[in-house]
């Protein structure tokens, strides 16, 4: 039986966690993998905490529920660390990627974690520089691909290009691609 990778995204409404999880699922499917990408949120308003989920496997995925023991946790807003138990259910060898100005060691201390691996990247700053808006989902996709290379960076970029080439100006699309590549290079660990 093939291993199934489970990812949980934590963000706030408007930060793009839903879009990122859907794009990641589509990129995995482009590579011939089985995948799921779906959101979970309560009151649908800007700024409200929400979650997104991904499952990726070489074999068909038969489970359809929220993810309670994610191998990878992606946090789009570091203020959620004090508001939500982002590490809930994560195994000892899990990975957390946080959009923050803090170091991985500071995040470990904030979370009180002993195990796992922590990565940080200033995705908001990258998004502002490259896209002109503080929406961290594209850079966080780049960081995720770097720390867990289950997909090729080119697949994610191809999926974003296909999905947004008709609805966005070329400079916005190019900015998202630059943001993904930049976060892929700038993500750091302990």
């Amino acid at each position: 039986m093939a291993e199934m990778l489970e990812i949980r995204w934590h963000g706030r409404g408007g930060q793009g966690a839903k879009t990122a999880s859907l794009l990641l699922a589509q990129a995995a499917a482009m590579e011939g993998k089985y995948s799921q990408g779906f959101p979970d949120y309560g009151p649908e308003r800007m700024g409200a905490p929400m979650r997104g989920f991904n499952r990726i496997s070489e074999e068909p995925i038969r489970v359809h529920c929220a993810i309670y023991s994610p191998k990878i946790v992606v946090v789009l807003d570091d203020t959620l660390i004090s508001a939500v138990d982002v590490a809930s259910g994560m195994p000892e060898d899990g990975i957390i990627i946080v959009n923050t100005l803090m170091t991985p060691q500071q995040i470990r201390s904030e979370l009180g974690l002993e195990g796992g691996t922590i990565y940080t990247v200033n995705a908001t700053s990258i998004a502002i520089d490259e896209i002109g808006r503080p929406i961290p989902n594209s850079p966080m996709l780049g960081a995720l691909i770097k720390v867990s290379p289950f997909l090729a960076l080119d697949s994610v970029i191809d999926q974003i290009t296909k999905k947004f080439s008709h609805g966005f100006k070329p400079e916005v699309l190019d900015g998202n691609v630059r943001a993904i590549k930049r976060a892929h290079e700038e993500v750091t660990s302990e």
Side-chain angles (χ1 to χ4, degrees):
M1 183 174 191
E3 182 180 347
M4 181 169 49
L5 177 64
E6 293 185 316
I7 303 165
R8 186 173 63 218
W9 298 77
H10 288 274
R12 294 188 182 278
Q15 292 182 319
K18 173 185 173 182
T19 301
S21 67
L22 295 174
L23 284 170
L24 187 64
Q26 291 167 346
M30 279 179 50
E31 286 193 4
K33 295 175 172 52
Y34 294 91
S35 63
Q36 295 176 348
F38 54 98
D40 173 43
Y41 42 84
E44 290 130 19
R45 67 183 194 279
M46 294 290 281
M50 60 85 55
R51 298 179 301 176
F53 303 101
N54 285 107
R55 287 190 178 93
I56 300 171
S57 179
E58 298 292 334
E59 295 180 0
I61 300 169
R62 307 259 186 247
V63 62
H64 302 280
C65 63
I67 293 172
Y68 301 103
S69 299
K71 173 72 174 176
I72 301 173
V73 174
V74 182
V75 183
L76 276 68
D77 185 329
D78 64 0
T79 65
L80 290 169
I81 290 172
S82 61
V84 176
D85 185 2
V86 297
S88 174
M90 190 181 82
E92 283 291 317
D93 64 343
I95 295 169
I96 296 181
I97 310 163
V98 183
N99 169 25
T100 186
L101 291 170
M102 291 187 269
T103 66
Q105 296 82 359
Q106 290 170 315
I107 294 294
R108 180 175 296 285
S109 177
E110 284 281 317
L111 291 172
L113 283 182
E114 293 186 22
T117 306
I118 298 174
Y119 293 87
T120 60
V121 64
N122 189 348
T124 299
S125 178
I126 292 170
I128 291 169
D129 291 350
E130 303 298 343
I131 307 165
R133 297 182 66 199
I135 300 175
N137 63 341
S138 291
M140 292 304 283
L141 275 169
L144 172 61
I145 298 305
K146 175 71 174 222
V147 307
S148 182
F150 53 89
L151 292 176
L153 182 62
D154 291 340
S155 293
V156 174
I157 290 171
D158 286 348
Q159 187 59 41
I160 284 178
T161 302
K162 285 179 184 175
K163 178 145 181 98
F164 295 118
S165 63
H166 302 294
F168 288 93
K169 295 178 183 175
E171 56 269 17
V172 174
L173 180 59
D174 293 342
N176 275 279
V177 170
R178 285 192 312 272
I180 290 168
K181 290 179 178 178
R182 189 170 150 195
H184 190 269
E185 295 303 316
E186 293 182 18
V187 66
T188 59
S189 68
E190 300 169 278

